Structure formats: structure tokens, C-alpha cells
Amino acid sequence: MASTSTTETEQSTEEPAEQESALQTARRQLRHAADHLDIDPNIVERLEHPKSVHEVTVPIERDDGSVDVFTGYRAQHDSVRGPHKGGLRFHPEVTRDECVGLGMWMTWKCAVMDLPFGGAKGGISVNPKELSDREKEQLTRRFTEELRDVIGPTVDIPAPDMGTDPQTMAWLMDAYSMQEGETIPGVVTGKPPVVGGSKGRDSAPGRSVAIIAREAIDYYEKDIRETSVAIQGYGSVGANAARLLDEWGANVVALSDVNGGIYDTNGLDTHSIPTHHEEPEAVMTHDAPETVSNDELLELDVDVLIPAAVGNVLTADNADAVQADLIVEGANGPTTSAASEIFAERDIPVIPDILANAGGVTVSYFEWLQDINRRAWSLERVNDELETEMLAAWHDVREELEERDVTWRDAAYIVALSRVAEAHDARGLWP
Ligand code: GLU
């Protein structure tokens, strides 16, 4: 396995640039939050850099007998509060810097939820839609083997992310366990329940988005039954958030997948629209009075906008045209720094990803506990404990928001960074 050094390949600038990488956004957000806190600048300097980044090549034999070689990464940002934790994505745009930036976000996400984990993210630069199931399995098994020395239940615990799913995690667990000579379910979370996965893990990111949206709607003194919602993305985050908000009385008026969206001011029946998992890319096949493009969906006149697909969709180019009164980030990094500034000027609250979609990693933590204890929890227990954890984190962030008069993102970062910095301070620098 080849390991790269942590040499910087991108410098962040002071002015937010459009097209900024996840790493640039993450660094800017870190410095912004640090400005509000009395933190040792050496700790902030440390946190701007990942602890390590592992780069590997992953060869697979294609179904036609040829061999293709893909590049994979695992960026481990910080582990002061516990083992590294974060997803693995299979996506053509995966890069080293994207993994570092997303790994940094995982550190804050785990800290804002007060979970005993640090941050990491990894992935392979590949289009999974172009692979057969057999090829995907080979790719996952070989990638696991290449990363075997740097992952493990007390070291770094991957999970699903864009382009990966419970089946991918089952292959990863099997590949790791076979080499270790024993079944080790705690090496990965987001597995199917039959091999130690947690009930409710699949729906957890969407559930947390819905819980946080509900709390935010209430905070801004609106009645959820009189609230219209537009959601971009109908995968595990968007679809689960849509269905829960619909159940709780919200008027879900627009939904989309990669092909575009549907719009009905009277509200959509979310349960009759197949999620990506139930039937990929089926949103547009559903009858609705109007169709919209993914760009148009973001600019609809709604009360709540939930971008729950890919990153960098709210930018300086469209932030002025957004008509929603509240934005809840379902995807990781949907808002660029420049767009965040515009929303702050326009007084549009943006509840950040590291709080809103943190239900995924929170139930991952529950799964890890269940694996260690060899004891499964009921779905009811998972959902109850998730609700409790989300409300506790919401409360901590809200307190910072009110005390310091900052944005929701800054408030969440302040909660997270204080916890991480305090842990660094307590542990000190070794040697
Ligand atoms: N990939 C998910 C995220 O971005 C979950 C990570 C995990 O469960 O470790 O939060």
C-alpha cells in the first residue's frame, strides 16, 4: 500500500472563490469558527491538516477479462476524541482534497454530536453505474485489502456514502474479517442488520434532517402544518426526510432526483414516489402538475429548502435567487462559502450539514456499540435514542447561536471545535 504525505495541494485564499474544493470550504469554516473562540492557534493550525492520507491503487478484472486500475483514498483527519469515522464514496469526482475536506467535516460532525469518534472520509474515483455487481464487489474487497492496516474497529471505521450502500459495507466487513481470521462486525457501520448492522441506520440521516428541520421550523415560530418544503435528492437522506416531514404535516411540494424534479403546490404524496433505493431515478415518472429542473427547484418560493443530493449546489450564482425562508443542509457541503455569506446578509438561516445530517453517524455509533456488545437494539430504541441525541445537539448549538449572535453554521462549529480543541489541550502534543 502506498501512503502519500500530507503535502498541501491546494492553498485556500482569503476571498471565497466559486468552485472551491471541499477542503478550501472546510478550512475557511474552521478559521471562521476559530475567530470566535479563544483557542491556541497551534491547535487550529494542526486541525487545518489531516493526520494522514492514504492513497492506493485498486486493480480489478472487468467482466470482459480486461484489467482496470482505479485510485482510492482514505483521509484521516483527527482522532483526539476516538477512532476515525466516516463514509466511503464511489464517485467519479472523488479526489484526495475532497476526502480531506469531507474528513474534516466528519471530525466536527462527531464532535457536535458528542460522539467518541474523530473524522475520516475515503473513496474511489470511479463511476459505480458503469460497474456490474461482481465488479463492484471486487473493487470493494481489493480496496479493503489495500486499507487493511489503517482501518479497524478501534482505528478507523468506514460507512456508506455517495455510491456505496449496506451491501458494499457487508463486502468490506467480509474482506476484512477473512484476513483477520475472525468475524469483526465493528470494522464498518451501515451493514445489513443480518451481519451486525443497526436497524434504522439506513433512514437515520434523513430522519435527523427531518428532526432538525422540525425544530428549526418551530424555532422560527412557524406551524409545520403550514410549511412548504422543497427537497433536492430522493436517496437515503432526501426521501426519508421527505416522508417524515410529510407524516408530521408539512407540505412537501417539490422533490427531485438526478433527472430533475416534480412540483405540486398542493403537496406530493411522498410515500407513493419510489425512493432511489426502491427504484432508482423514478421521481420524474410520477405524475405531477409541473416539472422543474434541479436548478429551478432550489429557487422555488417555499418555506424550507433541503438540498439533499450533492455538494456545492448553492453558490454565489444562485444564492440571491433562493426564495426559501430557511435552508436545512441534507447533503454534505451543499453551500459554498460565498453563498453562505449571501444567505447571512439576506438573513436566511442555514442549518448546517454537520448538525442536520448527523443522524447517520450517530446511528453508526449505535451500531458500533451493538457490534462490540454483540447485542442488537430494537428499531424503537434506535429511533428514540437518535431523537434524544439530535435534540441535545440542537440545544447545544442553539445556545451558542443565541449567546454569540452568529450563524447556525458558526454556532455548530463553535460547539464542535471547542470540544476538539479542549481534548487536544488535555492530551497535549506527543512526544
Ligand atoms: N457518510 C455519512 C456522513 O457523511 C455517515 C458516516 C458514518 O456513519 O460514519 O455523515
Side-chain angles (χ1 to χ4, degrees):
M1 181 193 68
S3 271
T4 57
S5 74
T6 58
T7 315
E8 297 314 306
T9 53
E10 284 201 51
Q11 294 298 326
S12 41
T13 53
E14 282 315 308
E15 284 305 309
E18 279 309 296
Q19 301 301 325
E20 66 188 358
S21 67
L23 177 55
Q24 284 174 312
T25 312
R27 287 220 175 103
R28 190 186 310 283
Q29 290 167 345
L30 166 61
R31 282 195 300 266
H32 209 254
D35 284 346
H36 293 280
L37 292 170
D38 183 21
I39 295 180
D40 179 352
N42 292 319
I43 291 177
V44 179
E45 168 76 20
R46 178 73 191 96
L47 290 168
E48 281 194 30
H49 304 271
K51 197 172 104 185
S52 49
V53 184
H54 306 279
E55 177 177 333
V56 298
T57 49
V58 191
I60 58 159
E61 189 182 308
R62 303 301 296 259
D63 291 342
D64 66 4
S66 63
V67 170
D68 272 336
V69 182
F70 298 94
T71 306
Y73 307 90
R74 184 70 178 169
Q76 298 170 326
H77 174 245
D78 186 80
S79 62
V80 73
R81 291 168 47 87
H84 296 283
K85 188 84 193 79
L88 281 181
R89 50 175 66 175
F90 289 175
H91 193 272
E93 276 155 37
V94 166
T95 62
R96 175 197 180 280
D97 281 344
E98 187 196 53
C99 293
V100 175
L102 290 163
M104 212 185 271
W105 282 328
M106 285 310 303
T107 302
W108 316 134
K109 202 183 282 190
C110 293
V112 91
M113 295 307 302
D114 215 358
L115 306 176
F117 287 140
K121 189 75 93 181
I124 300 181
S125 176
V126 64
N127 185 352
K129 289 185 197 165
E130 289 170 4
L131 299 178
S132 67
D133 282 350
R134 190 200 65 85
E135 291 169 336
K136 251 187 278 183
E137 178 173 352
Q138 282 233 318
L139 189 77
T140 308
R141 289 183 181 279
R142 182 61 187 258
F143 188 36
T144 307
E145 185 49 27
E146 297 298 336
L147 293 180
R148 199 165 56 81
D149 292 342
V150 296
I151 60 172
T154 58
V155 182
D156 184 354
I157 307 135
D161 203 274
M162 277 164 64
T164 58
D165 58 18
Q167 177 61 70
T168 325
M169 301 303 119
W171 290 326
L172 194 160
M173 173 209 158
D174 186 65
Y176 184 83
S177 298
M178 292 307 284
Q179 287 292 341
E180 296 292 314
E182 57 182 307
T183 295
I184 306 179
V187 65
V188 68
T189 59
K191 304 174 290 293
V194 70
V195 286
S198 180
K199 296 192 179 78
R201 171 62 185 80
D202 251 358
S203 54
R207 177 171 285 270
S208 72
V209 168
I211 292 170
I212 294 298
R214 184 194 68 204
E215 293 305 307
I217 290 164
D218 188 54
Y219 183 81
Y220 289 104
E221 291 173 1
K222 277 193 77 84
D223 182 342
I224 195 164
R225 286 161 305 180
E226 285 158 21
T227 301
S228 58
V229 185
I231 302 181
Q232 184 183 66
Y234 210 54
S236 84
V237 185
N240 286 300
R243 286 182 176 176
L244 273 173
L245 288 168
D246 190 7
E247 274 166 37
W248 296 340
N251 195 23
V252 178
V253 295
L255 293 171
S256 71
D257 63 23
V258 59
N259 298 319
I262 49 177
Y263 181 41
D264 184 348
T265 48
N266 291 319
L268 296 159
D269 176 12
T270 57
H271 287 273
S272 71
I273 302 166
T275 68
H276 181 77
H277 178 67
E278 289 161 358
E279 190 190 334
E281 300 180 19
V283 169
M284 298 291 278
T285 61
H286 191 86
D287 258 351
E290 278 182 68
T291 59
V292 285
S293 69
N294 263 303
D295 289 343
E296 287 164 347
L297 180 140
L298 298 171
E299 298 174 10
L300 289 174
D301 186 7
V302 289
D303 298 311
V304 182
L305 172 65
I306 303 181
V310 291
N312 281 351
V313 293
L314 295 169
T315 68
D317 290 338
N318 61 5
D320 278 314
V322 167
Q323 298 187 66
D325 299 323
L326 168 69
I327 299 170
V328 181
E329 294 186 334
N332 287 320
T335 314
T336 65
S337 303
S340 286
E341 281 177 20
I342 295 170
F343 293 136
E345 275 160 28
R346 294 185 58 205
D347 264 335
I348 300 178
V350 182
I351 317 289
D353 45 8
I354 59 166
L355 172 64
N357 73 23
V361 74
T362 303
V363 175
S364 277
Y365 170 58
F366 300 161
E367 178 170 332
W368 185 72
L369 293 177
Q370 293 170 64
D371 290 340
I372 290 171
N373 291 311
R374 298 285 200 258
R375 181 138 197 240
W377 297 7
S378 67
L379 178 61
E380 195 187 11
R381 175 167 176 197
V382 169
N383 286 343
D384 280 356
E385 297 216 13
L386 176 61
E387 171 90 17
T388 305
E389 298 293 336
M390 292 314 304
L391 292 183
W394 166 259
H395 180 262
D396 292 345
V397 173
R398 201 189 58 203
E399 241 176 31
E400 290 295 343
L401 176 103
E402 287 171 353
E403 213 173 284
R404 296 175 190 265
D405 194 21
V406 289
T407 63
W408 285 97
R409 190 182 315 280
D410 282 342
Y413 266 73
I414 288 166
V415 171
L417 184 56
S418 317
R419 287 176 180 159
V420 173
E422 244 178 76
H424 272 286
D425 198 40
R427 285 182 60 166
L429 203 58
W430 186 89

